[in-house]
Amino acid sequence: MRSHYCGQLNKSLEGQEVTLCGWVNKRRDLGGLIFIDLRDREGIVQAVIDPDEKAIFEPANKLRNEFCIKLTGIVRARPGSQANKDMATGEIELYVKDLEILNASAPVPLDFNQDNSEEQRLKYRYLDLRRPVMNERLQFRSKVTSAVRRYMDSHGFLDIETPILTKATPEGARDYLVPSRTHKGQFFALPQSPQLFKQLLMVAGFDRYYQIVKCFRDEDLRADRQPEFTQIDIETTFMSGKEVMGMTEGMVKSVFKELLDVDLGEFPSMTYLEAMTRFGSDKPDLRNPLELTDVADLLKDVDFKVFSGPANDEKGRVAVIKVPTGASLSRKQIDDYAAYAGKYGAKGLAWIKVNQADNGLEGLQSPILKFLTEDVAKAIVERTGAQDGDILLFGSDTYNVVTDSLGALRIKLGEDFNLVADKWAPLWVVDFPMFEELEGGALTPLHHPFTAPSNMTPEELAANPATALSDAYDMVLNGCELGGGSVRIHKQDMQAQVFKTLGISDEEAEEKFGFLLEALQYGAPPHAGLAFGLDRMLMLMVGAESIRDVMAFPKTSTAACPLTSAPGFANPAALADLGIDVVKKAD
């Protein structure tokens, strides 16, 4: 139907007849001439309809925004004074000789010139996606996946699909369950990741696997979470963790260079312990210069239990954030920050304003100074490097509460004080603990139970599980976890010990993972992998605020689809076929 896309027209086509198809982006009637901004996937071009073209002038008067039309005309250069430098096609216009209205449009329920509610945007997503910014983002998404495939193919990786209907995989979230008609009372689970299958592919000898794959997790949503999301899933044999890191770092750098012309440089590496100590997060944003400074050793003997209690508790922590120029904060602003830290478990936020650092206690301002000696106050100021005009904000509680609350507060302070640099800041975080302790003392895997410990035998793991580090690695960019992976356990005795450490009985392990355990008996090779969140990477690359804005048809924050009204109630006959009855709870 058409000869060109709108965005393809330029001065090289001057004088040629072309046919375009698209939507009316805007219609203007100026002094008898009708101007149409015609839009398609590739851009917008201005079309001119002259009253002399009597056959099409009357139909042109009927055009409204979002009418779908076909135009045939002559490409001509705009006079220099009329050229639009803000349009890619601004040097030319189309003088229309023929117009066909392919389909009229009802008044559009979205205002493309204003912000619409997310509910409206998702209800009419097919219209929202017509907006140039959304169109460009989805085209960019396609370019990213193509670039990833080219990189992986060039490095010897095979694109292999894995099942969607499967058993549950232990990824830390609830599963989406699918009832089986042929096995009544039994359920498939939608995969939270292809973890077990990609390991089996390594046992099968395919050596290098990748897949751009849908994953499903039934968890509370936020800006960088969706119930269904896309992973760049990678697994290799006979590669160490460092080799996997090098190869995948190369992939990300290649994509950024090709599509954004950004050189990410070499990625620094930081241990989990250092990240949590300095930044209060295992995915620190290195663009933010604020850091946490531990001061528990300076406060063990002060007559202030808020400090001395955690300072003398091996599970406690006392740390400080120094905020440059923060002494200008009002008491209300400090209280607001205390309330913010309270969302993460903090019971308060002690503070000291540094007015004149060289004047000892007299140069400081705070209600807690009465509990501090001159020497202690001086040592805190020196350790934090505080200067005149700064404020020190204290966290004092259990290790986790202080780390979580100050880590979150650090991010907010960096934004509020405009401290976050405008740059790309990649990072590898390594040497994660194998396990974390739950209330009551039980252990749970920090990643998943198929992650190999770093340089430990099964006997050593059994003796000291709390100190075990995993051979795991996360890629972080600008405070967002792009991907995570690890060296996998490939020997049955080590896998059995990890299950035992986690309190998983032989019977439970056999029921859940028997097929993997059996596979490990047959010469399973050493293997390692990594999975990237494609949606998160795209969100960062295009500067979107949510991964919903780089997906074609996302869900709301309540995991609903306003467009299709999903989820919905099932047909009773279909439920009966599955052997399922919906029971309503009494009020």
Side-chain angles (χ1 to χ4, degrees), residues 114-185:
Q114 297 183 13
D115 289 334
N116 299 282
S117 71
E118 186 172 67
E119 186 78 14
Q120 284 290 98
R121 288 180 57 205
L122 296 184
K123 181 175 176 61
Y124 299 100
R125 189 62 164 182
Y126 47 87
L127 296 177
D128 184 54
L129 291 176
R130 289 185 186 175
R131 292 190 301 132
V133 64
M134 294 303 299
N135 180 291
E136 290 165 7
R137 285 172 177 173
L138 288 191
Q139 288 200 53
F140 186 80
R141 182 185 182 109
S142 179
K143 291 176 182 177
V144 168
T145 56
S146 293
V148 167
R149 291 186 188 282
R150 284 195 300 274
Y151 183 92
M152 300 307 291
D153 292 345
S154 70
H155 283 73
F157 283 80
L158 303 177
D159 183 358
I160 305 176
E161 294 179 352
T162 52
I164 294 298
L165 295 177
T166 182
K167 292 188 73 169
T169 53
E171 300 291 332
R174 296 182 188 89
D175 290 306
Y176 279 101
L177 300 177
V178 180
S180 169
R181 179 185 60 82
T182 53
H183 300 277
K184 286 185 173 58

